[in-house]
Structures are given as structure tokens and as C-alpha cells.
Amino acid sequence: MRDFRVACARCGHGTAYPAYRCPACAAPLVLDLAPVPPGDCRATSGQGLWRYAGMLPRTRHTVTLGEGSTPLLPLRRDGRDVHVKLESLNPSLSFKDRAMALAASAALDRQLDGLVLASTGNAAVSAATYAAAAGLRCRVFCATGSNAGTKLQTARAHGAEVELVVGHYSDAYAAATRAEGQGWLNVTTTYRNPLLTEAYRPVAAELVEQLGGVPEVVVVPVGAGPLLRGIWLGFTDLRAAGLTTTLPRMVGVQAAACAPLARAWTAPDWESALREPVTVAPTAAAAIADPLRGYQDEGLLTLSAARDSGGAIVAVDEPAIAEAGRALARQGLFVEPAAAAAVAALDTPAVPVRARAVAVLTGHGAKEPSALTVGSEP
Ligand SMILES: [Zn+2]
């Protein structure tokens, strides 16, 4: 595992973990990890996420429910070379389990009381699941606009305290921010807690292991986007360690109904574009509907990762998301609309038709089956 320091993404000011904003300039924080030796980027005999523990920031505890090592399957799609990474098959049925396994381990290291977070639903289920496994408390703030429904019932079943906040995800984010500290680790899955992004690095190693090489494009559904950045950082680890020679282009996808990053991507000045008001229209892909209100600067980390990789951030509309979801279901893959957005993005100009591509299916459909069956063709 890797020693780390916490540093400001803008000014480089160092601070102790846990911390959530730069004490000098209030910008988001990132982890500055020690370089990873080549041997530590290779799989160990461990299980799941922790097979690649050498790529992760150091923790003393190892909380696990078998997350990670998710299947990679070829997608039948007009002769294209496309695979899907089934993050939907993690223990609580979304990719967030990787981050929560690491976060719960870090909370135990520091003898904290519990995990607190804002969530559209998936993170709530994941945090509640891992808090239960670790013997920690869990407090969830969920916005009424997220229509989290049965996901919150699952979180409650694991013993989480769930509070509904009137408004959108950003309103829940503010509530979780007020509750952080005093024994509560904020595990809101934007960039607020800089540790969480790091849990996604091993996805890159798993993809290289499963594909036998580096894909040309990796498509990732993004709200704030730490999954995209974490996977990108993992690929840079593998190249720095001399295990691979190329890097993929990272393509983030948002629902057009709520797409602050896709809008900023095409603007000349990202910072001012992110500060413009974001309209939020109804979307089936609620899991990635994040207007970033009040924490716009976090979006810069995702935009920068996409730019550094030569990728893009795109938006797809509701009919395209629904059609992608139906097509996946007919191939035996039941995912939530936010995950289907990754497959819809394969038909945008950001993904060349001949590129060897991977679409990351971030969440299972079982937690929200009506989202895909509503509007289905007869
Ligand atoms: Zn700073």
C-alpha cells in the first residue's frame, strides 16, 4: 500500500487527513500518493479490490465484502469491439462499494463513529452496507429530487439513519457537509473526501488483466466524476510502473437533463462555465444528476482528467439512455439508466466506431426496476 499526503488541487497546500477543503484557499483536496513499484501494480492472491492493495493508499484495516474483480463481458454491438465492465455486480450492486470499502477501513483506522454522506441512492446503500460490515454508524442525506425510493429502504435495513432533504443532490451535499467532523467521516461520493477517488485505481489494472491490454476508450457515467478520474489515475500508475505503454481516452457521459460538466467541456473557460446556473430537468439517470451547486470546483478534477487523457465529456438524451437500457436488458444485462448512459455514449462522436472501448456499467437495475420498464416497447 502507498503512503500519502493530502494536498490542495489548486495551490498544493498540504493538510492532515481527514480533511475536505484546502485550509488556505478552500479548493478541493487530492491525495498525493507515493509512486507505486511495478510489483505492487500486480494482482496478489487476495480477493477483489484488495488484490491490488499495492495501488491503494495505506490503511491498517481491510473492510471487505468481496467488492471489485467485477466481470468484463463483450457486448454484441454491430461488430464493434466493445466490452462492458459490470460494476453493477459489486456487493451492493454499484461501483461505490470500492470507495466504501476503503472509506470504512480508513474510518476504523481513526476510530471514528460512523460514515455520513449525501446520496442519490446508490452511495447510501453502499455506505450503509459497509458501515454495517465494519460496525460503524451511518447517516444518509438524500434529496427528494433524487427519487431514491427502494434504495433508501435498503440503507435503513442495514441500520442507517436516513434524512430526506427537500431539493436536489446539491442540497443533500450541503446537509452532509454540515454533519461531517466530530467522529463522522464524510463519504459523499463527489470529490469532497479525497480518499474515495483512490479506490477506483484498481479498475484500470483489472481491465488490463481482463482485456490483455489497454483499451483505447473507457466510457464512464459521471455526476461529479471521481470514478473517471480514479480509473485514469490507475492507468497512469500502470504506465509509470512500466507495465503498460499506452493510456486510454477517458470519456465521461452525463444525462443531457443535468449536464454541467458536458456543458463546461465545450466552453472556453471551464471555471466560469461551471459557475453558470445549471438547469435540472427530469431524468431516469438520477444517479448521475449532480448540478454541482456549491462545489463547482470539484468538476475541474474530472474535466482535467478527461483532457489529460485526450478524451471528452458528452451528454446523451433520455430516449438514447432508454434505448441503451433496453438493448442491454435483451442481452441479459439489467442495469440502471445511469449505467445505460455509458452504452448510449458509444454512439457519440467521442467514441470512434473502430476503437476498442469499454463501457463501465456503474449500477444494477434491480434496485430501481421501474426506471427501465417504464416506456418500454410493448
Ligand atoms: Zn489551496
Side-chain angles (χ1 to χ4, degrees), residues 15-340:
T15 187
Y17 185 82
Y20 304 102
R21 279 292 183 267
C22 174
C25 78
L29 300 169
V30 292
L31 255 59
D32 186 3
L33 293 181
V36 58
D40 288 359
C41 284
R42 296 202 175 94
T44 67
S45 57
Q47 183 183 334
L49 173 71
W50 303 93
R51 288 176 70 223
Y52 291 101
M55 296 176 76
L56 298 173
R58 186 176 304 285
T59 60
R60 290 193 306 281
H61 289 81
T62 303
V63 177
T64 186
L65 289 166
E67 63 291 329
S69 290
T70 53
L72 184 78
L73 297 178
L75 190 67
R76 294 199 303 270
R77 202 170 172 84
D78 303 332
R80 291 175 65 170
D81 183 3
V82 176
H83 286 74
V84 284
K85 178 75 165 157
L86 301 187
E87 288 298 293
S88 49
L89 294 186
N90 275 298
S92 85
L93 307 183
S94 86
F95 73 99
K96 310 268 184 184
D97 290 348
R98 295 176 185 266
M100 293 307 166
L102 186 62
S105 302
L108 288 181
D109 284 355
R110 290 160 183 81
Q111 299 176 303
L112 299 175
D113 299 325
L115 311 178
V116 62
L117 75 160
S119 174
T120 65
N122 280 333
V125 176
S126 182
T129 298
Y130 281 83
L136 294 162
R137 294 173 65 193
C138 184
R139 201 172 165 203
V140 175
F141 293 95
C142 186
T144 51
S146 294
N147 298 317
T150 54
K151 294 178 180 174
L152 297 184
Q153 293 175 23
T154 308
R156 286 193 182 98
H158 286 299
E161 304 162 42
V162 178
E163 294 177 44
L164 282 175
V165 178
V166 175
H168 290 292
Y169 180 76
S170 295
D171 301 299
Y173 180 106
T177 299
R178 289 191 290 273
E180 74 193 15
Q182 289 113 42
W184 290 89
L185 185 67
N186 190 338
V187 294
T188 297
T189 55
T190 62
Y191 288 102
R192 183 149 190 93
N193 185 327
L195 188 76
L196 273 54
T197 306
E198 307 300 327
Y200 305 127
R201 288 184 192 246
V203 175
E206 290 178 21
L207 286 175
V208 170
E209 181 184 20
Q210 291 168 316
L211 277 175
V214 178
E216 291 167 71
V217 179
V218 179
V219 185
V220 184
V222 292
L227 177 62
L228 183 149
R229 178 177 155 90
I231 296 174
W232 167 245
L233 293 174
F235 278 109
T236 64
D237 283 340
L238 298 174
R239 192 176 70 163
L243 297 175
T244 58
T245 54
T246 62
L247 293 166
R249 277 180 276 161
M250 303 298 299
V251 173
V253 56
Q254 300 202 291
C258 180
L261 294 183
R263 185 182 65 182
W265 176 258
T266 56
D269 175 4
W270 288 348
E271 290 202 39
S272 46
L274 286 172
R275 272 170 179 66
E276 288 168 20
V278 176
T279 55
V280 183
T283 174
I288 48 171
D290 183 352
L292 300 173
R293 271 181 212 137
Y295 46 97
Q296 297 89 338
D297 285 354
E298 295 192 17
L300 294 172
L301 293 167
T302 302
L303 291 165
S304 300
R307 178 195 58 205
D308 294 348
S309 75
I313 309 287
V314 299
V316 292
D317 62 21
E318 295 299 304
I321 293 170
E323 177 49 38
R326 286 193 292 267
L328 286 164
R330 288 192 194 117
Q331 296 187 33
L333 299 168
F334 196 51
V335 300
E336 66 177 8

